[in-house]
Amino acid sequence: MKQNRWIKRMLHAGIQTLILLVGITFLSFLLSWLSPGDAAERMLKKSGMMVTEEQLEAKREELGIDQPLLVQYKNWLVKLCKGDLGTSYKSKKEVVQELAKNLPYTAALTAVAMILVILISLPVGILCAQHRNGLFDNIWRGVTYLFSSLPSFFVALLLMYVLALKLGLLPVIATRNWKGILMPALVLALTLSAWYIRQVRAIVLKELSKGYIDGLKSRGISRRKILFGHVLKNSMLPLVTLFGISIGNMMGGTTIVESIFSWPGVGKMAVDAINYRDYPVIQGYVVWMALIFLVINFAVDASYQFFDPRVRKGVEKDG
Amino acid sequence: MDKKRKSRIWLIVSLILLLLLFVAAFGGEKWLHHAPFKPDMRHAFQKPCLEYPFGTDNLGRCVFCRIIKGSRTSIFSALFVVLIVFTVGTLLGTAAGFAGGIWENIIMKITLIFQAFPSFILAVAIAGILGNGVINGVLSLCAVYWTTYCRLARSLTVSLREVPYMKAAKVCGAGKPAILFRYILPNVMPSLLVTAALDVGSVILSMAGLSFLGLGAVRPTAEWGAVMSEAKDYLQTAPWIIVFNGIALFVVVTVFNLLGDSLRDLLDTEAEM
Amino acid sequence: MKRKAAVIMCAAMIAAMPMSSVNAAESGKHFTAGATTGFFGAESLDVAYNWDGWIMSIYGISENLFRLDASYVPQPWIAESYENVDDLTWKFTIRDGVTFSDGNPVTAEAVKKCFERTYANNDRAGSTLAIASMEADGQVLTIVTETPNPTILNDLCDPLLGIYDAEKEADPELGVSCTGPFVATSFSAMTEVQMEKNENYWGGTPKVDTVDLKIIDDTEALNMALQNGEIDLIAQLPASGTKIFENNEAVTMDSATSTRANFLMYNLEHAGVDDVNVRNAIGMCIDRESFADIVYNGYATASYGIYPETLPYGSTEGMENAVTAYDPEGAAALLKEAGYEDTDQDGILDKDGEPLSIHAITYSYNTECLQLADMMQAELAEIGIDMQIETFDVLDDSLTNGAFDMAILNYAMAPTGSAQYMISMMFETNGSNNYGHYSNATVDELSEKLKATFDEKERSDIAKQVCAELLKDRAFDFVADQQLICAYSKKVSGFEINPSEYYLMTNEIDIEE
């Protein structure tokens, strides 16, 4: 009986996921379908040849872009089921390879940036909540306003100027090693931390205002113990969810930071692909995004039962 | 009570600041004594001085005049985006939450699909399809931001469905439109309004980001993001161009954030940020 | 527990990141150069693909039969010597002992095969050098041209005719095998190319072991990278950067008068700009001196002619020229005379009910072109011409489709030193880059004559006559001739700037460690 219900639930979840996957990929198909210009023309004319209409037709046929939208979509889905994402128009490499080449960079950037975010926002946010409306809190309120009110490319340039040029601490161009990753990660971390500090502060404050805290206080338990033993423990779940969503967003790549620092991640890849009308890459990228999204969504859903469902939006700080 | 009073003060302060911004954006042009677009090459790269309070840019145009000129584009395109997504999102969200069943399922699936794209890349893709221009930038940002309102409105509506007085209203025979407009909308509004106020700043920044990638405003619009992305070439030799534009952006975004924060504290809602 | 797992996962992700440049730096001398897409941006490493041969020559991967020296005179390179048998027949002796990077020897047969492939894959080849037939015998390559070709040596300097091993299928990533001092080890289009020295380079082992060429389109990041010592050289430094390095003691700035020009190309099939009076009026509204002095910080010269004055055929003396100075009042008067009036009082001039509105396109990454567009937009608005600017990363589509009234372009005018290059490519009715459909029978005729004239003096005269026609028609309006600027660290030695923009990396470049 119980097992049956479990299977039923899993089946339901699977179907829902499938619907989402189809919708997401279809939207991306629609977007490329609507975009002006045609990949065949772009590919042929760029080669330096004068092209005839017949050659264009032939190329369109070869690429399969002369077919109606739905047929193209069906063909693509069939291929996807076989694990084939197609070949990039631009690099002539398999899309899977392209993704595999760029993903580690985005993953590394995400990892370092998230570690920095946690290192910055957790202690600061908690301290701000503890010394609510004190000097510390007010100073940080100003700082967070500053970083959340500046475009990330401006923050990137300022950091470059100060940290690299004036202080000589970090390289300007992201060399593909530990030192190089710090600067782009720092830019991401600073703008994102500004948001997180306020989140941490709010969540901790909310926890502190709950009734059981007074109970604990009246039982003479030290503030330290209340903070670390109860408040933080209870605040962790919503925070972990938020971090999860942010990680998901960042794994989609951060266009501006990646392009300023010449960091070859998937965000830069996606924008380049959009500019080049490299449909297979765009679609491959979308599948990847959909996968991350579904995983994160699932994880968030799973953790909903533990806490207030209303706070649940992560941000992609990429303005 | 003290908290409420404090946020009321902040609200008034931010409203006054906002008013000043609007006056500057709308009426400021009358006081400008330099043309914001016409190059004056003999005066290129002037440091801030009495004649040019914020200096001049690479083509000898007054940076201050251009900031004033550009403020309208930056502020109003963002307000426009928020207005659209607020309206569309709220309507769809409340409708979904109110109707329930299959409609709710469909609408929420669509929001999920839109959300699966990293927001900025979705905007880039749509702006790429539509071509450059402020209007196209506005549309592509709308496609990104509406989901927040739809989801929030729906979840608030759903939570209202089971509230006793709603049941009472139903029992008393209130019609569906009456329930929607009399009970649901007024109840979901505060949270949505706060979210909207907080979103303006973020939309301004996203717009600047689009312009940075060359997808936003077209020339000669002095949109701040577009100006900054070009002025970055002179960060070392004429820093005043990018710095003053950055400050302008910062001030505006901060004022809107202040407004949103004080509204939230005052209305005591939990808006999505 | 969970936290530990997360830390391990992060560490694993970072470890998975390819550490390519670290490897490169491990052994020997390493040289890094940066430039924007315009100078370093190849889409492939196939000489025959689009303009990629040019970029590969800059990279120091591909080489030609001849090489231009600093005064645009072709010097033997892969070819050791040549013999002009008759008007149509040329015999080239290929240097002995030159090998492709894959080890195959460069023979006359290999060069023939290479040219055959290039001609089959790229239309520009035919308009660069029209070959009737080729014959290979050992190291001797005989080329018979379709018509007498006095500039064949210059033409052979065009990197599109770079020598590569056509016997082997091009590698999807690393392209074709060439003869230059460097060999690519990894290539990601429009981002970065990594190279190592060609151990068997015929001209002597290169002095640096590995080279990293980075494309950095953010010019401020590019400047800071050199200031910070992360790159050793900026090729084709954007003019805005010159102010930074003028007083920098650790950096040398070299400049050479190239033949690169900023110019306008009009689409003569579109109403408004098909009127020569409108084109002349637009020309009068451009403050060329300020553009050269301020936008280019003096690293450019205002142009009122066609070719740079430094070339023998560059002077416009005695030619009929409607535009000789910045004169917006004159422009307004000219338009009025030509019948343009603002009848509907909307601030835009019109004629026969058609408002004078111009759709201009330009490159999104060329800051100088963009600033020219900004200057013109404001100036033209003053005299009642509405100008809309649209920018593109890749202009080709809009140009070939004719989706423009005016294109603000930036081309090297005579990269091979020969006037014929641009005349065949852009000014002739059937030129491959004549996107504006300019057609002037006299120009076509002169072009044919120039193709068959061997005497230098006479050639210059013909080129000047072409210029006179072009000035009269103003289908192309040249605004400024810019200089090629390279900035490099004082640690770099053996670098020589070449005005043709064809060359950058050589075996002589060295770096102090």
Side-chain angles (χ1 to χ4, degrees), chain A residues 41-43 45-50 93 101 104-105 107-108 111-112 115 160-161 164-165 170-173 176-178 262-263 268 275-276, chain C residues 10 13-14 17-19 21-22 43 48-50 120-124 173 192 214 216 221 224-225 227-228 230-231 393-394 397 400-401 432:
Chain A
E41 213 170 307
R42 186 163 288 234
M43 285 173 86
K45 284 191 177 158
K46 286 232 72 178
S47 71
M49 295 295 283
M50 294 289 157
K93 281 188 204 161
K101 196 178 87 188
Y105 290 106
V112 177
I115 292 172
M160 251 187 212
Y161 186 73
L165 200 58
L170 293 170
V172 175
I173 308 171
R176 318 284 152 68
N177 57 30
W178 262 109
S262 314
W263 187 259
K268 192 163 182 284
N275 284 335
Y276 196 89
Chain C
C10 292
M13 275 199 268
I14 294 159
M17 198 171 45
M19 301 267 182
S21 14
V22 182
E43 284 186 43
Y49 187 79
N50 205 17
N121 287 344
N122 199 319
D123 275 351
R124 217 154 31 84
E173 180 187 342
E192 185 176 33
K214 290 169 186 288
I216 302 162
M224 287 196 217
Q227 285 171 288
N228 214 16
E230 291 163 48
I231 56 175
D393 285 348
V394 183
D397 291 2
T400 42
N401 299 336
S432 59

Side-chain angles (χ1 to χ4, degrees), chain C residues 229-252:
Chain C
E230 291 163 48
I231 56 175
D232 307 306
L233 179 142
I234 298 177
Q236 204 182 42
L237 178 73
S240 63
T242 54
K243 276 193 183 162
I244 298 171
F245 296 111
E246 269 165 356
N247 303 311
N248 189 323
E249 282 179 5
V251 171
T252 310

Side-chain angles (χ1 to χ4, degrees), chain A residues 103 106 110 246-255 258 265-268 270 285 288-289 292 316 318, chain B residues 116-118 121:
Chain A
L103 260 180
T106 296
T110 305
S246 288
I247 288 175
N249 266 324
M250 279 164 93
M251 286 301 281
T254 43
T255 336
E258 283 180 357
V266 285
K268 192 163 182 284
Y285 170 77
W288 160 245
M289 278 325 301
I292 297 181
E316 187 203 6
D318 204 358
Chain B
F117 291 85
I121 284 176

Side-chain angles (χ1 to χ4, degrees), chain A residues 92-108:
Chain A
K92 323 272 185 303
K93 281 188 204 161
E94 297 233 338
V95 173
V96 180
Q97 261 181 314
E98 289 280 304
L99 272 171
K101 196 178 87 188
N102 292 303
L103 260 180
Y105 290 106
T106 296

